[in-house]
Structures are given as structure tokens and as C-alpha cells.
Amino acid sequence: MMDSKLSHPKLPLFPLLLIAPFFFWGTAMVAMKGVIPNTTPLFMAGVRLVPAGLLVLAAGMVMGRPQPKGWMAWLWILLFALIDGALFQGFLAEGLVRTGAGLGSVMIDSQPLAVALMALWLFGERIGLWGWLGLALGVTGISFLGLPDEWVLGILQNRSLPEGVQLGVHLINDLFQNGQWLMLLASLSMAVGTVVMRYVSRHADPVTATGWHMVLGGLPLFALSSQVETAQFVHLDWSNWLAMGYSTVFGSAIAYGLFFYFAASGSLTSLSSLTFLTPVFALMFGNLFLSEMLSLLQWVGVGFTLVSIYLINQRDVLAEKFRLVQTVVISEQGQSSQVKTAMVSLPKVPVRLTEQE
């Protein structure tokens, strides 16, 4: 059921617009994965950021959004650009080279778990029973997704890593060649960026800051690409450019624009609860267009992770519903007890019977 706090009577297609950012993010992952064989990851990450940032800035100017003022505002925007722009998109693009779009999207959208922990440490936000249950399921799900199947089965069956797996530097190298772990680093970058955005918004308009962080975060990716990558666009055809254009315009500019619009005009908690739709769309279209297949263990990890994201985002709502149910049950038990007590304590009235009776 659609949250009343997110209803908008002036928008007849509101439910579709509400789901649109998550649809665009999920399908953009599939589009980017399809382009990877013909380009380089850092170049593609830069293409997705800089033009989208310019579009967001242009939209902000049309809406009359103020530009950042003061060195403190620009300092926070630069930090935001480094973490949520360069590192997030860089790890995401590199991870896509080594993993599927659907699986990568699940790893990316596990960031509410890290956000919840950082919010607890930094801002004292309560996690609660449902939140901790979500974190436990999330860690389990990410382990099933991020670790090789033989590692997980070895730990579950023999309580040890398979033979030939060496701890230390070799293990770290193996993990960094694993696309899921690069996606996990991207997710952590996004989580830190989400927390940093709270400080950015204290010194600058959030929409304008988002546009600048895309532009400033994409420039280092282009610079690094020019140094370590070659043939970035030699093999690109019109369909590849079209796919990158879709990822840039719809997967970045329009998706972020809609998300910030609804976040500013409705319930952020209710909006965040739709995050789980992103990997669902990515998994569905990744299977349809790229023939991506997951192992049984990875599907279990996907299920755990999606449930954990829901529990984390809806922990306050679930806690309130659980409290109301407890209140109703206790109230009904109390009323039942009072009725029984009243029946036991009814006065006994003697009835005189006649001989005929």
C-alpha cells in the first residue's frame, strides 16, 4: 500500500514516477554491463558522472537553487565528490568488469546496512530489534554473494577454508580480483557519501551540491583513464553510445532528480524502503538481455540481502506495528480477565420455588 505521506494528487502517474528512479538505476547497471566489452571502466564512469552533473546543475539553475558559498561548502562538496563520485563510480565500473549487473546491483544496494551502523556511531540513531535482525541477515547475504561458493560451502560443512586458500596478501589479492568485493567497496563508498551528504546540506543546497559532486568526481576518473587506459572509445558503436547516454541521462540525472524531489516533498523512510526494487530490476533485465545466471547459493544471498534491506529501512515502522499488536493483545487479555472476574463475583440471588415448580 502506498504511504499516505508520499501521495501527490497533482501527479496522475505518481506511482510510476515514484518507482522510476529505482527502475532507471537497475536498468542502467544492465546497460553499462553491455558496454563494458567495448570500452574501459574508468572512462565509462566519467561519462556517467560529468554530463549528468551538468544536467543537474542546469536543472538547479532553472529551479532557482542557490550556488555554494564559502570555503566550508566547497570543502564538503569536494569530499563528497571524492567519496560518492570518484570512488563510488570507479569501484562500480571496475566491479562490473568482473561480475554481473544483477549481482553487482544487489551488492551496491546493501549500503543501507553500512549507513545504519554509521548513523548509530555518529548520530546515535537507534537500530532496534528489527534493524539488528536486518544487519545479521545482510552480513549473511553479502557473505554468500561476495565469497566464492567453495569458500562458503567449506566454512559451512568443514568450518574451514578450502585447501589451497592462503591468508594474508594472497587472500587480499584474490578478493580484489573478485567483482563482488569491488561492488562492496562501491557500496561502502556510497554509504559514507550518504553520511557526508548530511554535513554537505548544512553548508550548501543539496541539489546543487549533487550536481557539482558529479562534475568534480568525474574529472579525476577521466584524468586517471587517460593515464592507465587505452582505446576508450575506439570500439564503441552507436548502440554503445546510446546505452551510455541512457545510463547518464536516465540512470544518473533523471533518477537522482526524481529521488531528491520525492525525498524533499514526502517521507524519506517510505521512499528508502523502495531501494530493494533496484536489484530486482537489475536481476530481471540482466537475465533477459545478458543471460546472467546465479548459483543457488547466490540466490539465497540475494534473498537474505533484499530482506535485510527491507528490515533496515522499515525498522521503525515494523517496531511501531509490533508495539501496537502487543498493546491490542494485552488489552484484550485484560478485558477478558475483567469479564471472568466480574462473572465470578456476580451476587447470588436466592430463588424461591413453589410446590408446582
Side-chain angles (χ1 to χ4, degrees):
M1 183 178 294
M2 195 67 65
D3 195 317
S4 59
K5 295 181 180 179
L6 281 174
S7 61
H8 202 302
K10 294 182 179 180
L11 297 177
L13 299 178
F14 175 76
L16 294 178
L17 292 175
L18 187 63
I19 296 173
F22 310 99
F23 174 83
F24 291 147
W25 283 330
T27 51
M29 291 284 288
V30 178
M32 292 169 63
K33 179 64 178 180
V35 176
I36 279 291
N38 297 324
T39 186
T40 55
L42 296 179
F43 173 77
M44 184 177 64
V47 169
R48 186 178 181 186
L49 274 181
V50 175
L54 294 175
L55 288 174
V56 172
L57 287 175
M61 293 178 64
V62 172
M63 292 186 293
R65 297 282 187 169
Q67 292 294 317
K69 297 179 181 179
W71 66 270
M72 185 62 72
W74 284 108
L75 185 63
W76 278 111
I77 290 174
L78 285 173
L79 182 63
F80 188 37
L82 173 65
I83 297 172
D84 193 70
L87 291 180
F88 169 55
Q89 291 293 339
F91 283 133
L92 187 154
E94 290 287 351
L96 267 179
V97 178
R98 301 170 177 84
T99 191
L103 189 56
S105 183
V106 175
M107 300 298 292
I108 290 295
D109 284 282
S110 67
Q111 56 91 18
L113 282 65
V115 171
L117 287 176
M118 287 188 289
L120 171 67
W121 297 330
L122 296 175
F123 309 117
E125 293 187 5
R126 187 177 65 87
I127 292 182
L129 173 63
W130 296 104
W132 285 113
L133 177 61
L135 287 172
L137 285 175
V139 171
T140 304
I142 290 174
S143 299
F144 285 4
L145 292 171
L147 295 173
D149 285 6
E150 58 271 17
W151 291 22
V152 176
L153 293 176
I155 294 173
L156 292 177
Q157 295 175 356
N158 306 320
R159 296 185 179 181
S160 63
L161 291 173
E163 296 182 4
V165 177
Q166 299 179 352
L167 298 178
V169 177
H170 295 288
L171 178 61
I172 295 175
N173 289 335
D174 290 341
L175 290 177
F176 273 88
Q177 293 302 316
N178 187 325
Q180 289 92 300
W181 281 96
L182 290 172
M183 288 298 188
L184 183 59
L185 290 176
S187 176
L188 292 175
S189 300
M190 184 179 180
V192 175
T194 301
V195 175
V196 169
M197 185 59 181
R198 175 171 293 191
Y199 296 98
V200 173
S201 61
R202 296 176 182 177
H203 303 278
D205 176 75
V207 174
T208 305
T210 298
W212 278 114
H213 108 279
M214 288 180 171
V215 175
L216 297 176
L219 294 178
L221 294 172
F222 278 137
L224 191 59
S225 174
S226 66
Q227 297 297 316
V228 300
E229 295 177 341
T230 58
Q232 290 93 329
F233 45 83
V234 174
H235 303 291
L236 293 174
D237 56 23
W238 67 269
S239 62
N240 298 143
W241 284 110
L242 190 63
M244 287 201 296
Y246 175 84
S247 299
T248 300
V249 177
F250 290 91
S252 291
I254 294 178
Y256 277 109
L258 288 173
F259 183 84
F260 277 114
Y261 172 77
F262 291 126
S265 60
S267 170
L268 185 59
T269 301
S270 300
L271 183 63
S272 298
S273 67
L274 298 175
T275 302
F276 73 95
L277 290 175
T278 303
V280 171
F281 286 128
L283 287 166
M284 181 172 62
F285 284 92
N287 178 266
L288 182 63
F289 291 103
L290 304 177
S291 301
E292 293 180 352
M293 302 295 293
L294 301 183
S295 67
L296 177 60
L297 199 60
Q298 287 175 326
W299 275 117
V300 174
V302 168
F304 281 170
T305 304
L306 295 182
V307 172
S308 74
I309 293 170
Y310 177 79
L311 291 177
I312 289 291
N313 282 320
Q314 293 291 292
R315 61 188 184 275
D316 293 334
V317 176
L318 292 172
E320 180 65 19
K321 289 182 179 179
F322 186 70
R323 185 186 67 80
L324 291 175
V325 170
Q326 284 184 315
T327 302
V328 171
V329 171
I330 293 174
S331 177
E332 290 178 349
Q333 290 177 345
Q335 291 176 357
S336 176
S337 177
Q338 290 177 359
V339 171
K340 290 180 180 179
T341 303
M343 292 177 65
V344 170
S345 61
L346 285 174
K348 297 180 179 180
V349 180
V351 178
R352 187 175 180 177
L353 301 176
T354 63
E355 291 182 357
Q356 291 180 354
E357 293 174 327

